Amino acid sequence: MINPEPLISVIMGVNRDEGNLHKSINSILNQTYTNLEFIIMNDGNSDEVSQIINQINDNRIILVAKEKIGLTACLNAGIDKSKGDYIARQDAGDFSKQDRFLNRLSFYKII
């Protein structure tokens, strides 16, 4: 039986803030579909990135600090940590529409 509200694991690799990181993160946290975990891979273990993320109070965020290993390796490490039924990607400079996940799940008749 399909879970009526499957967990979505959102994976983001980031190694610096170019001014939009907080807005990008909020575009995921403010989704109309809320059953998600947000795994943010701090690639390069930047104090700046950690400070921004630690200011956001949301228990769906899982911050993982890594030495600089590159985006692909970071994303793979994030997938290894994920518990979701589905994986979604978000780049640090991307902004998601508020109904991004709800639309995808509805389109594929998952919910």
Side-chain angles (χ1 to χ4, degrees):
M1 181 171 146
I2 296 176
N3 182 348
E5 289 199 7
L7 179 66
I8 298 176
S9 295
V10 183
I11 315 288
M12 174 189 280
V14 59
N15 67 2
R16 67 180 176 276
D17 177 25
E18 294 181 357
N20 292 314
L21 181 59
H22 194 272
K23 185 177 175 183
S24 179
I25 291 169
N26 280 332
S27 76
I28 294 297
L29 298 177
N30 293 325
Q31 290 290 304
T32 54
Y33 187 84
T34 59
N35 193 26
L36 58 91
E37 65 177 0
F38 194 2
I39 301 169
I40 303 174
M41 304 298 296
N42 185 350
D43 184 24
N45 200 9
S46 163
D47 288 338
E48 174 190 29
V49 169
S50 292
Q51 288 172 356
I52 291 168
I53 295 166
N54 288 329
Q55 291 175 0
I56 301 170
N57 185 23
D58 194 304
N59 62 0
R60 297 173 294 172
I61 294 177
I62 300 165
L63 175 60
V64 180
K66 289 280 192 190
E67 295 302 317
K68 184 76 173 140
I69 58 175
L71 181 60
T72 303
C74 244
L75 296 175
N76 285 331
I79 290 169
D80 288 342
K81 292 217 170 275
S82 71
K83 296 178 183 148
D85 301 296
Y86 300 97
I87 303 286
R89 277 269 296 114
Q90 175 91 353
D91 282 324
D94 289 350
F95 309 109
S96 291
K97 289 185 177 183
Q98 198 171 14
D99 58 357
R100 171 185 173 190
F101 300 133
L102 186 60
N103 279 344
R104 291 295 91 204
L105 293 170
S106 296
F107 180 81
Y108 290 107
K109 298 178 179 20
I110 295 168
I111 59 169

